[in-house]
Every structure is written in structure tokens, then in C-alpha cells.
């Protein structure tokens, strides 16, 4: 079982940066791939980025490629999402998720955090 807690969201002007954190429970965190998804009001949950359990593989949505970086520190049981060059369309609740294998599909993930709000003003 994995419990995930996101933090680091906030209100930022367009062009600014944020670093989101996802703190995980458990002593086998490195066995799990992790991902970030986001959901804006009245929109479907959208894949953002994913990373394999050891950090050797990453995946990004085209909309965030080159601006967002996913990373992890398994010694700290934490996954990060560095967000640069923020745009108003990045505004959403950002969710951390964990699964046995890296995937871009929300249905592949078994564990989810509560989400953290990111708001980008123009």
C-alpha cells in the first residue's frame, strides 16, 4: 500500500516556476512508477509526466515537454515536478499517482494523492 501527499502548489504569474512534491509512505517506494496528472474544472484528467521506479525512464505530455521535469529521490520517498515557464492553461489541480509500471494512462495507476492546486495568472 502506498499513500501519497502532494504539496507545493500556489498562485504564480505566467512565466514563473513552481516545484511540486509528492511524499510517499512505504519502504518499497522505488518499486513503483510515479506520475503527475492534472485536472482543470470541467475537463478530463490529463497526463502530465511519469517516471519509472528507479528514475531511469520518463514520459511527458507534449504540452509540457521542455517546461516540466519529473524526478524522484527514493531515499526521501519523494517525487518532484519542476514546472517552468508556466502558462495560464497549466492551471489545474495536480495529482500524484503510483503504479507497478510506468504509463501515461490514469487507469494504470492504483494510488493517488489528494491533489495540489496550481493557478497561473496572466
Amino acid at each position: 500500500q502506498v499513500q501519497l501527499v502532494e504539496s507545493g502548489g500556489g498562485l504564480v504569474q505566467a512565466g514563473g516556476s513552481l516545484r511540486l512534491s509528492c511524499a510517499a509512505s512505504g519502504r518499497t517506494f522505488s518499486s513503483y512508477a510515479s506520475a503527475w496528472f492534472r485536472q482543470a474544472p470541467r475537463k478530463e484528467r490529463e497526463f502530465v509526466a511519469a517516471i519509472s521506479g528507479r528514475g531511469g525512464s520518463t514520459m511527458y505530455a507534449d504540452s509540457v515537454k521542455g517546461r516540466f521535469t519529473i524526478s524522484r529521490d527514493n531515499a526521501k520517498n519523494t517525487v518532484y515536478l519542476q514546472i517552468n515557464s508556466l502558462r495560464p492553461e497549466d492551471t489545474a489541480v495536480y495529482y500524484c499517482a503510483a503504479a507497478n509500471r510506468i504509463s501515461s494512462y490514469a487507469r494504470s495507476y492504483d494510488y493517488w494523492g489528494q491533489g495540489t492546486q496550481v493557478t497561473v495568472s496572466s
Side-chain angles (χ1 to χ4, degrees):
Q1 299 295 317
V2 177
Q3 293 180 327
L4 307 171
V5 179
E6 302 95 332
S7 62
L11 174 62
V12 183
Q13 289 190 336
S17 298
L18 283 174
R19 190 176 80 158
L20 308 184
S21 297
C22 173
S25 66
R27 302 178 71 179
T28 58
F29 180 58
S30 64
S31 298
Y32 292 89
S34 188
W36 290 93
F37 291 79
R38 65 188 182 186
Q39 188 166 24
R42 293 183 170 270
K43 297 196 71 175
E44 296 296 314
R45 189 163 297 188
E46 175 189 28
F47 171 74
V48 175
I51 188 167
S52 60
R54 302 288 183 175
S57 298
T58 58
M59 302 173 63
Y60 294 94
D62 287 342
S63 61
V64 307
K65 199 171 299 181
R67 299 189 298 120
F68 291 22
T69 303
I70 189 169
S71 62
R72 67 192 301 153
D73 185 342
N74 288 337
K76 297 181 179 179
N77 278 10
T78 302
V79 174
Y80 304 97
L81 185 68
Q82 178 67 43
I83 310 176
N84 298 325
S85 302
L86 278 160
R87 305 167 181 170
E89 54 263 41
D90 295 321
T91 295
V93 177
Y94 283 70
Y95 297 92
C96 182
N100 290 327
R101 293 182 61 185
I102 188 170
S103 172
S104 64
Y105 296 101
R107 63 179 179 269
S108 298
Y109 289 86
D110 302 309
Y111 307 103
W112 294 83
Q114 85 291 342
T116 185
Q117 176 71 46
V118 172
T119 303
V120 184
S121 64
S122 59

